[in-house]
Amino acid sequence: MPIIQPPDVLKLLAHDIRWSLIQSLNMSDYRVHELVEILDAPMNLISYHLKLLRESGLVAMHQSEADRRDIYYSLEYEVLQQQFQAAEQ
């Protein structure tokens, strides 16, 4: 019987930090330094994993409406749902 590879979204989310980022962003939008504090991990590590999640479309960045200098990250629920549904097939 051939080995079946897991879907890309599952491989992406299987990493502890990326899974923790998704769980945190499920609660609210956050800035990078807030995620660094929440996850108690170095900024370069959080930034790297946010980049991977952004490239997959699971996380988006947007500027604060109150202060355009602040960048927030948010979970893209619809994309996550679509990728999970595609993984079921």
Side-chain angles (χ1 to χ4, degrees), residues 57-75:
L58 297 177
V59 169
M61 346 182 317
H62 55 91
Q63 290 181 320
S64 167
E65 292 180 18
D67 183 349
R68 305 297 277 172
R69 294 173 292 177
D70 284 334
I71 303 293
Y72 283 84
Y73 292 87
S74 60
L75 182 60

Side-chain angles (χ1 to χ4, degrees), residues 2-89:
I3 295 175
I4 299 172
Q5 293 295 315
D8 289 340
V9 69
L10 298 181
K11 290 190 280 189
L12 183 70
L13 296 178
H15 191 280
D16 291 344
I17 291 181
R18 290 191 292 268
W19 181 251
S20 295
L21 285 166
I22 292 293
Q23 291 298 307
S24 296
L25 293 171
N26 186 43
M27 304 303 288
S28 183
D29 295 356
Y30 289 106
R31 295 175 287 181
V32 173
H33 75 272
E34 294 170 322
L35 291 165
V36 166
E37 290 177 19
I38 291 168
L39 275 61
D40 192 28
M43 177 147 337
N44 62 337
L45 191 61
I46 296 298
S47 294
Y48 171 75
H49 290 289
L50 279 171
K51 177 183 172 236
L52 295 178
L53 291 169
R54 281 193 341 266
E55 289 173 348
S56 73
L58 297 177
V59 169
M61 346 182 317
H62 55 91
Q63 290 181 320
S64 167
E65 292 180 18
D67 183 349
R68 305 297 277 172
R69 294 173 292 177
D70 284 334
I71 303 293
Y72 283 84
Y73 292 87
S74 60
L75 182 60
E76 292 290 319
Y77 295 99
E78 290 179 15
V79 175
L80 182 61
Q81 183 179 20
Q82 290 169 357
Q83 289 194 22
F84 271 130
Q85 287 174 345
E88 292 176 348
Q89 299 175 4

